[in-house]
Amino acid sequence: MKPLKVRVCITLDDPIYQKVKGLAEYDDRSVSSYINLALRDHLERLEQEDNE
């Protein structure tokens, strides 16, 4: 069973959105999926830094 997802609404600066959109398309992902992946990676890095 897939984990539950929470729907949120965010506002992005257009240049950031365009870059994320391009990266998501390159990775064959939705923008939402790409943002989720990027945030997960960022949070994991923060946790690793806290544990050092």
Side-chain angles (χ1 to χ4, degrees):
M1 179 154 86
K2 285 187 174 183
L4 298 177
K5 302 263 182 180
V6 177
R7 183 177 293 257
V8 297
C9 179
I10 63 170
T11 303
L12 300 173
D13 295 335
D14 188 60
I16 291 172
Y17 172 73
Q18 294 302 325
K19 286 181 182 181
V20 169
K21 181 180 172 190
L23 291 166
E25 288 174 357
Y26 181 78
D27 254 8
D28 197 27
R29 300 177 183 272
S30 67
V31 170
S32 178
S33 175
Y34 192 86
I35 290 171
N36 193 61
L37 178 67
L39 284 172
R40 184 183 306 129
D41 289 347
H42 177 69
L43 292 171
E44 286 175 0
R45 273 188 261 122
L46 288 176
E47 285 181 19
Q48 287 175 355
E49 289 175 8
D50 285 345
N51 292 330
E52 291 179 357

